[in-house]
Amino acid sequence: MRDMLSCVYSKFRNMDEKVNGYENIQLKNLVISRACEYQTKDCNQRVLDMFRKWMKSIDPDNNNILPKELKDTICIQAIQSGGEEEWNFLWKRYQCSNFKSEKNYMILALGCTLIESLLLRY
């Protein structure tokens, strides 16, 4: 599966790059999600780097630098690959958010941690 994803993932490797059209946006989201799930190339590290860049941004609640169409995928993969620092950051964003759609993907992502003690806080 990783080999099959590798070719198409290389087209979407630059996660900041905009794609046009609903189908292309959905395809990009699916490919990146599956590429990270199957640990294709550098997918998990790129997602984690992007998430950590958001963590370091000034006023992350009002300045979410993650691509709109990939926010849920990036958060889920970053929480799965990251640690307590990433989880605490997203938990804080969840608590500060006033948008139901944002809260939905954040709470879903928070539940994807592999660290049992964090799940108990959840």
Side-chain angles (χ1 to χ4, degrees), residues 10-51:
S10 65
K11 294 178 183 179
F12 297 114
R13 189 171 173 266
N14 182 358
M15 296 176 198
D16 288 326
E17 190 175 300
K18 298 272 186 205
V19 293
N20 295 320
Y22 178 78
E23 291 85 9
N24 288 333
I25 291 169
Q26 293 300 104
L27 178 61
K28 179 180 180 179
N29 197 342
L30 180 65
V31 167
I32 290 172
S33 175
R34 294 300 175 257
C36 287
E37 182 181 338
Y38 288 101
Q39 300 180 353
T40 304
K41 294 187 180 178
D42 60 350
C43 186
N44 286 334
Q45 189 58 52
R46 292 178 67 78
V47 163
L48 205 49
D49 290 346
M50 192 173 249
F51 189 85

Side-chain angles (χ1 to χ4, degrees), residues 71-114:
K71 284 181 185 179
D72 56 343
T73 298
I74 290 171
C75 287
I76 288 169
Q77 297 303 328
I79 295 301
Q80 284 179 339
S81 301
E84 189 170 356
E85 186 178 356
E86 289 78 13
W87 195 94
N88 286 333
F89 172 82
L90 193 60
W91 177 245
K92 178 76 171 155
R93 304 289 71 76
Y94 173 80
Q95 292 175 316
C96 293
S97 177
N98 293 321
F99 300 105
K100 185 176 181 178
S101 62
E102 223 174 49
K103 288 178 98 72
N104 285 343
Y105 78 76
M106 288 180 183
I107 200 75
L108 175 71
L110 289 165
C112 292
T113 184
L114 302 176

Side-chain angles (χ1 to χ4, degrees), residues 45 47-66 85-86 89-90 93:
Q45 189 58 52
V47 163
L48 205 49
D49 290 346
M50 192 173 249
F51 189 85
R52 287 177 177 157
K53 186 177 175 184
W54 179 36
M55 289 173 65
K56 292 177 184 174
S57 69
I58 297 170
D59 193 15
D61 292 316
N62 295 313
N63 186 29
N64 189 331
I65 62 168
L66 303 179
E85 186 178 356
E86 289 78 13
F89 172 82
L90 193 60
R93 304 289 71 76

